[in-house]
């Protein structure tokens, strides 16, 4: 869990060390379920920092290990992490396939704590696939992102709402809709009162500075 928190904060080197330690503890103690969790987090960080193919492969093995226990809980979260890994490697269609699985599990079992992020990623990857194909699917992507933002807001998940706002602001800024980008981003940013040095908040500040055409103040 510490590895997950560090990853979300953008502290991936620390997250890698935490995941490695967790793997050692789980292997020594025979904790098969938590070994799957630790290895999946390890693979996600490896995919971002070092070796995308190796990280994707490790996440797939860890997911299979988790599924072999019969557990369904947390699988949308794991599928979303794996989809991110595929997206990093340019394998967008495979990522979208995993997100479809995640949404199916959400709808069937009602595990909705990560639904907003699954929907956000669906919008982001839809845009990536369209760009690779030379198509314009911005309306479809924006629909996914708006639904994701509303989902996060309805559950008072401010960090996930900020992620959705960042993705929406990116899309709107690319279309020259500067005021609309700021309208969605600024309140989502201001709703979070801690973690000024974490990855998503720093990215939000950079985006707001771009929209306002002002220099960044660190």
């Amino acid at each position: 869990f510490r590895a997950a928190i560090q990853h979300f904060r953008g502290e991936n080197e620390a997250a890698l060390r935490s995941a490695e330690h967790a793997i050692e503890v789980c292997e020594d103690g025979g904790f098969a379920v938590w070994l799957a969790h630790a290895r999946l987090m390890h693979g996600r960080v490896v995919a971002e920092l070092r070796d995308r193919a190796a990280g994707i492969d490790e996440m797939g093995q860890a997911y299979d290990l988790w599924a072999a226990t019969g557990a369904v809980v947390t699988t949308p979260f794991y599928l979303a992490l794996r989809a991110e890994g595929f997206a990093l490697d340019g394998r967008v269609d495979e990522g979208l396939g995993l997100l479809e699985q995640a949404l199916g599990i959400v709808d069937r079992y009602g595990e909705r704590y990560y639904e907003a992020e699954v929907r956000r990623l669906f919008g982001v990857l839809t845009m990536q696939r369209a760009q690779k194909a030379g198509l314009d699917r911005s309306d479809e992507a924006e629909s996914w992102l708006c639904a994701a933002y509303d989902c996060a807001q309805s559950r008072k998940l401010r960090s996930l709402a900020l992620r959705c706002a960042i993705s929406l602001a990116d899309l709107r800024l690319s279309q020259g809709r500067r005021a609309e980008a700021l309208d969605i981003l600024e309140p989502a940013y201001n709703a979070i009162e801690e973690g000024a040095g974490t990855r998503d908040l720093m990215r939000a500040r950079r985006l707001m500075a771009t929209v306002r055409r002002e220099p960044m103040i660190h």
Side-chain angles (χ1 to χ4, degrees):
F1 289 118
R2 182 172 65 187
I5 291 169
Q6 289 167 330
H7 169 63
F8 289 130
R9 285 173 56 86
E11 300 162 358
N12 278 317
E13 291 290 351
L16 192 65
R17 292 192 294 272
S18 293
E20 288 169 350
H21 186 201
I23 289 169
E24 291 176 6
V25 170
C26 291
E27 288 179 338
D28 289 344
F31 304 123
V33 170
W34 296 115
L35 176 61
H37 179 86
R39 287 186 59 196
L40 208 143
M41 287 309 311
H42 185 268
R44 175 64 184 86
V45 177
V46 166
E48 186 155 335
L49 284 183
R50 298 182 181 176
D51 187 331
R52 290 173 182 170
I56 290 168
D57 185 59
E58 184 175 16
M59 283 191 285
Q61 293 178 25
Y63 184 85
D64 290 343
L65 182 61
W66 181 271
T69 68
V72 176
V73 64
T74 312
T75 50
F77 171 66
Y78 294 150
L79 288 166
L81 293 182
R82 292 179 63 201
E84 288 177 327
F86 280 124
L88 288 171
D89 201 39
R91 297 158 64 180
V92 177
D93 287 340
E94 291 170 88
L96 284 167
L98 293 180
L99 294 174
E100 287 178 356
Q101 289 182 45
L103 283 176
I105 292 168
V106 167
D107 290 339
R108 182 174 180 182
Y109 295 100
E111 183 181 296
R112 301 190 179 276
Y113 75 91
Y114 214 58
E115 180 183 5
E117 185 67 355
V118 172
R119 293 185 179 279
R120 183 191 74 85
L121 288 169
F122 221 112
V124 171
L125 269 63
T126 294
M127 279 293 295
Q128 290 181 8
R129 181 165 65 179
Q131 288 167 357
K132 287 179 66 175
L135 302 173
D136 181 5
R137 296 179 62 183
S138 54
D139 287 348
E140 180 184 349
E142 185 165 6
S143 178
W144 278 106
L145 295 175
C146 287
Y149 180 78
D150 291 343
C151 180
Q153 289 284 71
S154 70
R155 296 184 173 89
K156 304 185 186 303
L157 301 173
R158 291 176 292 170
S159 292
L160 296 186
L162 177 62
R163 283 191 168 194
C164 297
I166 289 170
S167 295
L168 274 167
D170 270 333
L171 174 59
R172 291 171 179 177
L173 192 56
S174 72
Q175 298 172 327
R177 298 157 62 189
R178 303 177 71 86
E180 291 179 74
L182 192 60
D183 284 346
I184 193 73
L185 186 56
E186 192 169 43
Y189 175 83
N190 290 334
I192 300 178
E193 299 175 351
E194 299 176 289
T198 55
R199 174 165 52 183
D200 290 342
L201 285 161
M202 292 171 65
R203 187 178 176 202
R205 284 201 300 278
R206 287 194 295 269
L207 264 177
M208 288 190 292
T210 299
V211 173
R212 295 167 176 157
R213 299 181 184 274
E214 294 177 357
M216 274 295 299
I217 299 175
H218 296 283

